[in-house]
Structures are given as C-alpha cells and as structure tokens.
Amino acid sequence: MTEQGVGARLLRKEDDRLLRGRGQFIADLRFAGMQDVAFVRSPLAHARIRGVAIPDAHKGDVFTAADLDGVKPIRAVSGLKGFKPSDQPSLAAGKVRYVGELVAMCAAPTRAEAEDIAAAVSLDLDELPAVYDMLAARDANSALLHEHWGDNVFLETFVNVNIEKALDAPIKVTREIRTARQCMAPMEGRGAVAVWDSRLEQLTLYSACQMPHIVRTGLAGCLGLDEGQVRVVAPDVGGGFGYKGILLAEEVCLGWLAMHRGRPVRWIEDRREHLTAGANCREHFYRITGYADRDGRLLGIDCEATVDSGAYSAYPFSACLEAAQVASILPGPYDFPAYRCRTFSVATNKCPILPYRGVARTGVCFALELVLDAIAREAGVEPHEVRAKILVPPEKMPFTNITKKWFDSGDYPESLRRAVTAIDVPAVRARQQRGETDGRLVGVGMATYCEQAAHGTSVYYGWGIPMVPGFEQATARLTPDGGLELRVGIQSHGQGLETTLAQVAHEILGIDVGKIKVVHGDTAMTPYSTGTWGSRCMVMAGGAVSVACKEIAKRAGKIGAQLLQTDEAQVTVQGGLVLGPQGSITLGEIARTWYLQPQNLPKDVDMGGLEATIGYRPSPDSGTFSYATHAALVAVDPELGDVEILDYVIVEDGGRLVNPMIVDGQIYGGFAQGVGTALYEEMPFDAAGQPLASTFADYLLPGPTEVPAPHIDHMETLAPHTEFGVKGIGEGGAIAPPAAIGNAVNDALRPLRAELLVSPMTPRQILTALAAGRSAS
C-alpha cells in the first residue's frame, strides 16, 4: 500500500466541491426558456377516471394521457415463471391505482405558477374499494388492481429442501413477524430536466439517478426513440439508496414535453411527493417456524413470506425484487439441513415498492434472527451459542449453502466471537441481575448476516429482466501532461467513487490521485453499465479500472522501453515511472511522446495508444459475500416504552478495503438507517389506501441524539476471485440493526413476558407488548 493506493485512508476528492457548496445538482441547472412542471396527482387510492376538467385559460399548459400520443407505458418484464407484468402509463389512463399517481402535467415559467395551474384542474373520479392490506389482497373476494390478472399476485415462488426431516424436532417455535413500509430519505429528492436539441435530434435528460444507461434504455423505449437520440446525465446526486434506481413516469412525461414544446422543462420533487407517492419499500409479513434440537441447534426453517409490492412494477424491475429474493437469502450465513419457503409478491393500492439499501436482506435478517433468539430462549442457552453451532466455519469455504448460494470466503464464527467479546455478554448478564436504579430494563441482542454483492450474469439472466449485468467496462486515458482520465458507467451518489477509483488507478500506475479525473454519470461519455446498485461498484467498476490501467501500463512500458533503449521485458511501471535497468522515464514524458512526438515511437507500437476500454467480470461471477455480526445493548423504559441504545458493536468483513475511512462512513450511514428501521420509521395507510405520514413531523427519522457512534471492527478476508480481494459492502450497515436491536429489546423485556415481532419497535408497540405480557401472566 502507498499513501494513495488501495488500503489508504485518503480524504475524498469530491468533498472539496461538495462541502464548499460548489456541487451541481438537478435543482442547480438553469437553461434559457426553461419551464417548471407540477403534476396533478390522484387523491384516491383506487378509482375510475371519469374526466379531467381543465380551465380554458390553461388548456395549452395542461396535458393528460390523451395528449401523450405514441408514448408507450412503462413495462417491467421478467422471465421468472408466473410473473405478471403491469403496464404503468406515464399519466394515468382509465383508472388510478394509488394515491399520488400522475394524472395530468402542468407547465409554467415557475414551479409556483405550475402548482397554481395544477390546483385549478379538477378530477372526476369514481372511487373503487382500496386494496390496502397485502394479506387480504390474496382473498378470492378482494378487489382487483389489474382485472385481467384474475388475482393480486405479481409472482409466487416456492423452495423446498428436505423440510420433512425437521418436522419432528424437539423444539419448534413459530412467529408472525411484520415490518412496516418505509420511505428512503436521501437529502436530495428526485428531479429531472429534459432538453430537446432539434439540430442533433437528441433528447438530453438530466436526472438525479443511479443508473443513467438503464434510464436511457427505458426512456428511449417509452418515447419511441433510438438510444442514440437519448442522452442521460446524472450530475451530483444527493443520495440514492435504491430510490433513484428506476425509470420514473415523471421522466417520460418531461421527455415528451421537451420534444413537444421544444424548450427545456424541469421537475423537482417536493418532500410531500417523496413521502406519499414515490419512496415506499420494505413492507414484509412472515409466518416462520424454526425447528431445533434440544440444545438449540437449528434443523430447519419453514416460512411463508408476503411482500406488499404496490400497484406497479417499476422499470427495470421492482415488484418481485424483495419477495423473489426472500426464498433464496432467508437462510443467511447459516448451515442447516432442511428448508421450505413460499413467497408472494402482492399488488396493492399503494405506490410501487422500490429497492432500498440492503434489498430484502433487512427483512429476512429481522425474521430469521428473531426466530434464532426464540429458539435460544426455548433451549435455555445464550443466543450467540445457537448461532455458533450453525455459522459456516472458515475451513468449509468456499461453501454452497442450502439455496445454492456460493459463499466465497470468510470466517463467520470469528465475527461472532469478536462481537460477543466487544459487547461483553457476561457483564450484561451481571448488570441485569443487579437491576437499573432508574427502573429501566437492559438487554443485549445480536444478528449475523451475509450480503451477496456484485451479482453477475449467472445470477441475473434467469430473471429475464432488461438489466442483466455483464462485463463492466472502464476507459483509462493518459493525457498529454501525464494525467489520467477514467470513464465509468456507474454513478456515484455518496460512495466516494471519485476517490476510490482513483486509488485503484494509482495502485497500478502510480499517478498522483490529484491528477486523476473520474468521469461518470453521462451516457454520452462513458461505457454502458447497469449502474450503481447491489454493492457492485468497487468489485465491478474497480476491477474494470484495474484491468484498464494494467493495459495502459503495458502499452506505456513498450514505449518507455524504446525510449530507454532497452528490451520491453526489462521494464516495469511503478510510481508514475517506467523503470529500466539503467534509468527511468515518467508516464508524462511517454504521453508527450505519443501525442506530440510520434516520430520517436517504436515501429510496432499498439495503435490503441494510451487509451483503453476494457471489460471486467470476475470468474465465477456469482457475487462476493461480505458479512458482519452486529451486537446491541439497549435500555427500555417499561413505563414509557422508550428505547435507548447504550452500546453498539459492528464486526464486518468486506474483503480488502480500498479506503477504510470511506468504508467507515458507509457503515455509519447504513447503521443510522438501520436504527430508523428498528425504532422510528413507518409509513402507515388507512383502509382507504391513504398514506398517513406526509411530512417529517409524521414520518420520524433518527437524528444525532438517537444514533450513537458504533464500535467498528474490520476483518479482511480477501475474496478469491476479484481484483485486490475486494467485496461489496455498501449496503451492509443497514441490514442487521433492526434484528440486533429487536433482539436486545426482547432480551430486556423477557422478565415481563413481552416479545416484539414488528419493526419499528415504537413506544406504542412496546407498551402493547407489555400489556399482552401482563395479560398472559
């Protein structure tokens, strides 16, 4: 490791502009003649559209589905057997299926004027029964969202591996576990600007998105354009978390309007739109049974899981992303012999469910880890002892688990041992015996998970969706002054990729990171990529940058050998130099030779020069597996239902850490989101399908006083098949906190015979559980 290479705790390059207010976000963009757009959204969850009344004064500024002639609906497809596609019109036609669905588009010189026009538009809606509960939605007499389906199920999946062998186990615990709908809450909401260039016959969409190339593909399809006629630019993006990983109906509308009017148009999401109409995720229900020996060894898991997928499947694929993964990832990092899982992705009159950091894993970790603690209580042993018996040991790596997940490397039991030691379980037990002077109850809980990241072609092609990842490409180009340009198709929205990708390049070429420019987020300037999702960027784009820079080093070595009058085999590239037996020459001098003094080049020089676009894909490409054990110490007030996190430990393994400081930041941020999932965040709906939290006064986010600084312990087990041994780690911090905190709360309440099986564990839920415990006793 050098001071700037792989493994260095290097300050982030992008922070200089971001912390000084010099970033450029969607709301900062200005174009001559630009108009703002506001949307008329449905106030009802389910209704037939009888008519849209537009005042005469605004008829030229309001557009409905009837105006969008030739615009195709948004369709997310899948090759999964039994999947039912849902065509989502950009502006609702025929009926509306959730509160906030777009019905009309209003354009004006300012957002305030556009909103005034929208307020003057009236809707004639014939209200239909709302499908608001995902379990009732499967009933035969339920109202239907998409009548031609015949039911409300996007997809049903089923896995059974020897479950019969576990049914007579001496310990059997069954729980019904529910997680609330949440809203992702990036600092910057969504937004887009569309500009039509009549000379180039090209639509440029500036969008706060994570997947510029995927958005271009979907947008071109909806608007009937060749992809060469569409350019998507993602400037600085203020957080994404999966929320900005889809094609928006608003983007299709803006694209059409820019072409129709021939002038730039802009839409900036406000926070009410964000909360009520666009950012829901993670509503799960589990009926789950764990079977175990008398000593607590897990023998089998039997589960039926239902996920509320909302009204449509967002492009490229969202409705089944949670439930379809549940069956394959529910076993987590554990080795046990029997398993059965049935899942349902259910359509309801709510906004479409979207991917959120840790997709599906947060829910399955919560369900499984709560059951493991219940088994431990039944067996009369410490919860960590139950886990220690079934965690895959390092000597079994690589290991194929019960659902054919291929764990590449790691020492899972060691992460558990370190967490148990750091949280000091014996000391907690002694403290519980003494009791608290303030009457609160303390409890300790833990959770272990593994995260499959950087999924490749072999994982995704069977899903038949329009974003199967393949070879991730990167372009590396030496500039005439010896600098380096890197072009990557991913998009950075907080991960520090402008820094870490420069560190990878420095590791290979030795060029100072200050002279390395990372270009991303622009389909006109970067290689095609499925974008930033699934903790894939450092594995895939980092790998692509590595191999591209190695190719540049090879080509520079050939030129350098000629200039040093030595054999190519005698030179190496190191520290920004080509080193030969008798001297050296800088990469800057080699670049000047290539660009400005070609007469000095060797006759057999590679005509690709000092620019290379190389594709990278690990082999096998089934993904990397990072993992962690989280341990929480909490105090619960039995009178108020309040929970305070007293201590929190995270022992993680992300393989080789390219920049440990940035990894710490990723874990801190994920942990804060996990605390929100565990204790605060929920988007409730009433029986009419109305969202009940439309502001941050109703939707609670944890703040600095609710999120303590966790103790982080890094392990580094190198991935065997990736560049530098890196593993994806971007989502991990958000996965385990609800389970660890939930188990800690249940441990604290155990003397009162109360058990929480929901997230968030709000004071209301805790007091309800305490009342149930008193009634039972």
Side-chain angles (χ1 to χ4, degrees):
M1 182 189 76
T2 68
E3 292 182 357
Q4 297 185 339
V6 171
R9 302 181 72 91
L10 192 67
L11 294 177
R12 300 194 335 164
K13 289 163 57 72
E14 48 268 72
D15 283 349
D16 182 66
R17 71 173 186 277
L18 296 175
L19 296 179
R20 297 175 189 272
R22 296 172 184 164
Q24 186 179 67
F25 298 86
I26 290 295
D28 297 319
L29 300 178
R30 297 289 188 274
F31 294 91
M34 184 171 70
Q35 289 195 318
D36 276 286
V37 165
F39 289 98
V40 178
R41 296 177 179 270
S42 172
L44 300 179
H46 200 192
R48 302 282 180 195
I49 301 175
R50 288 177 171 173
V52 179
I54 304 170
D56 290 341
H58 301 306
K59 285 192 179 294
D61 298 317
V62 180
F63 307 89
T64 66
D67 297 305
L68 272 59
D69 184 46
V71 176
K72 297 178 181 177
I74 299 170
R75 169 172 277 211
V77 298
S78 170
L80 291 172
K81 184 179 180 180
F83 174 78
K84 304 184 187 78
S86 56
D87 286 350
Q88 179 182 3
S90 299
L91 295 175
K95 75 172 185 176
V96 292
R97 293 180 173 88
Y98 65 93
V99 172
E101 184 169 3
L102 308 184
V103 180
M105 171 172 52
C106 307
T110 67
R111 174 63 182 254
E113 292 172 279
E115 289 185 351
D116 287 343
I117 294 172
V121 175
S122 59
L123 304 180
D124 184 5
L125 303 177
D126 182 15
E127 188 168 10
L128 299 169
V131 181
Y132 69 95
D133 181 84
M134 58 183 168
L135 300 181
R138 289 169 47 198
D139 293 344
N141 60 351
S142 174
L144 299 178
L145 273 79
H146 306 279
E147 286 85 354
H148 62 285
W149 288 6
D151 60 19
N152 288 317
V153 178
F154 279 99
L155 181 70
E156 178 181 347
T157 69
F158 181 68
V159 174
N160 185 358
V161 184
N162 303 321
I163 191 62
E164 297 78 12
K165 294 183 178 180
L167 298 180
D168 60 350
I171 290 179
K172 174 183 176 181
V173 298
T174 299
R175 297 291 187 272
E176 292 190 350
I177 296 170
R178 184 183 285 267
T179 65
R181 268 203 169 214
Q182 287 183 245
C183 290
M184 302 79 102
M187 292 182 69
E188 177 202 31
R190 296 191 293 204
V193 176
V195 181
W196 175 253
D197 188 321
S198 58
R199 180 180 67 86
L200 297 176
E201 291 190 332
Q202 185 180 60
L203 175 68
T204 299
L205 179 76
Y206 299 87
S207 173
C209 70
Q210 299 173 217
M211 303 173 172
H213 292 272
I214 294 297
V215 169
R216 181 180 72 166
T217 297
L219 184 61
C222 287
L223 296 177
L225 298 173
D226 294 336
E227 289 202 35
Q229 292 181 278
V230 179
R231 177 189 180 193
V232 175
V233 180
D236 286 323
V237 174
F241 312 126
Y243 173 51
K244 297 175 182 174
I246 65 169
L247 171 66
L248 305 177
E250 290 89 346
E251 292 170 331
V252 177
C253 290
L254 289 180
W256 177 87
L257 185 58
M259 296 169 63
H260 178 76
R261 284 204 155 180
R263 64 193 308 172
V265 290
R266 178 180 67 169
W267 166 71
I268 303 296
E269 180 182 65
D270 65 31
R271 193 56 73 173
R272 188 174 188 277
E273 289 177 305
H274 164 84
L275 287 171
T276 61
N280 283 192
C281 60
R282 283 187 178 168
E283 187 173 4
H284 295 198
F285 179 84
Y286 299 86
R287 289 189 180 95
I288 181 170
T289 299
Y291 301 92
D293 279 345
R294 181 51 59 191
D295 65 356
R297 175 179 289 276
L298 184 67
L299 299 177
I301 291 289
D302 194 1
C303 179
E304 181 178 288
T306 304
V307 174
D308 189 323
S309 296
Y312 302 101
S313 185
Y315 182 93
F317 182 68
S318 75
C320 306
L321 196 57
E322 296 265 323
Q325 286 198 77
V326 166
S328 65
I329 66 176
L330 181 59
Y334 302 113
D335 182 13
F336 54 91
Y339 179 62
R340 180 169 63 188
C341 185
R342 187 182 300 275
T343 75
F344 297 91
S345 303
V346 178
T348 63
N349 289 120
K350 301 174 185 176
C351 62
I353 195 172
L354 302 182
Y356 182 30
R357 194 175 193 172
V359 180
R361 290 170 180 82
T362 304
V364 301
C365 180
F366 185 68
L368 179 61
E369 295 293 315
L370 260 60
V371 166
L372 291 181
D373 265 36
I375 288 173
R377 290 192 292 271
E378 186 74 15
V381 299
E382 283 285 358
H384 65 83
E385 295 174 5
V386 169
R387 291 169 175 82
K389 296 176 191 294
I390 53 174
L391 281 172
V392 179
E395 59 269 19
K396 285 191 176 183
M397 294 293 181
F399 177 80
T400 301
N401 83 341
I402 199 166
T403 58
K404 307 303 181 185
K405 295 292 184 184
W406 191 75
F407 298 169
D408 53 356
S409 61
D411 190 342
Y412 296 6
E414 176 64 13
S415 74
L416 176 67
R417 287 190 291 269
R418 292 191 189 189
V420 169
T421 299
I423 206 72
D424 200 348
V425 172
V428 175
R429 297 301 179 218
R431 180 174 178 176
Q432 289 174 323
Q433 290 294 321
R434 293 193 303 270
E436 301 295 302
T437 57
D438 59 6
R440 293 192 299 175
L441 302 170
V442 298
V444 62
M446 57 192 56
T448 302
Y449 71 89
C450 61
E451 177 194 359
Q452 185 178 10
H455 309 65
T457 306
S458 63
V459 176
Y460 269 78
Y461 82 93
W463 289 19
I465 58 177
M467 57 165 292
V468 177
F471 287 89
E472 187 74 18
Q473 293 182 306
T475 300
R477 175 197 294 166
L478 275 181
T479 59
D481 61 354
L484 183 70
E485 292 179 359
L486 299 173
R487 298 176 184 269
V488 289
I490 59 172
Q491 205 285 335
S492 182
H493 46 271
Q495 299 90 337
L497 291 167
E498 293 178 29
T499 301
T500 50
L501 293 180
Q503 288 180 254
V504 169
H506 174 85
E507 185 76 15
I508 305 300
L509 296 172
I511 296 173
D512 187 281
V513 296
K515 297 193 68 175
I516 299 174
K517 176 69 174 177
V518 177
V519 178
H520 60 93
D522 188 337
T523 61
M525 301 176 69
T526 61
Y528 197 95
S529 172
T530 56
T532 301
W533 53 275
S535 299
R536 67 187 301 272
C537 288
M538 278 319 301
V539 175
M540 300 301 294
V545 165
S546 175
V547 297
C549 288
K550 288 176 181 177
E551 179 63 24
I552 294 297
K554 177 182 176 183
R555 297 180 188 182
K558 175 176 276 193
I559 298 173
Q562 171 82 6
L563 298 177
L564 292 169
Q565 298 183 9
T566 190
D567 186 81
E568 183 181 348
Q570 299 298 311
V571 301
T572 58
V573 177
Q574 183 178 331
L577 303 170
V578 174
L579 303 173
Q582 303 299 324
S584 64
I585 187 171
T586 67
L587 292 178
E589 292 175 287
I590 291 171
R592 281 192 292 273
T593 301
W594 169 260
Y595 292 109
L596 304 175
Q597 300 166 351
Q599 69 275 12
N600 295 327
L601 294 171
K603 294 179 181 179
D604 60 345
V605 69
D606 190 312
M607 289 187 292
L610 300 179
E611 177 175 343
T613 299
I614 306 292
Y616 171 78
R617 186 172 71 185
S619 181
D621 70 343
S622 52
T624 63
F625 280 83
S626 57
Y627 60 94
T629 297
H630 289 214
L633 176 66
V634 305
V636 182
D637 188 325
E639 297 297 323
L640 301 177
D642 180 66
V643 176
E644 180 185 359
I645 302 172
L646 303 176
D647 195 9
Y648 202 93
V649 171
I650 299 172
V651 182
E652 61 77 28
D653 187 347
R656 183 74 181 277
L657 304 183
V658 174
N659 187 319
M661 182 188 70
I662 288 179
V663 171
D664 285 348
Q666 289 284 322
I667 293 173
Y668 290 148
F671 169 59
Q673 290 174 312
V675 170
T677 302
L679 300 175
Y680 300 100
E681 298 181 48
E682 59 180 328
M683 172 57 75
F685 286 76
D686 67 14
Q690 292 288 335
L692 300 180
S694 60
T695 72
F696 281 148
D698 307 305
Y699 188 88
L700 299 183
L701 294 172
T705 59
E706 290 79 40
V707 183
H711 303 283
I712 301 176
D713 181 3
H714 292 297
M715 296 172 58
E716 277 197 347
T717 305
L718 301 188
H721 303 292
T722 68
E723 293 286 296
F724 311 111
V726 300
K727 303 177 182 179
I729 199 172
E731 299 175 89
I735 293 172
I741 294 169
N743 280 330
V745 169
N746 284 336
D747 185 59
L749 298 181
R750 183 180 179 184
L752 302 181
R753 298 185 179 180
E755 183 181 29
L756 275 291
L757 300 172
V758 296
S759 72
M761 295 183 172
T762 61
R764 176 177 57 85
Q765 296 283 8
I766 290 173
L767 294 176
T768 299
L770 286 168
R774 286 192 293 269
S775 299
S777 60

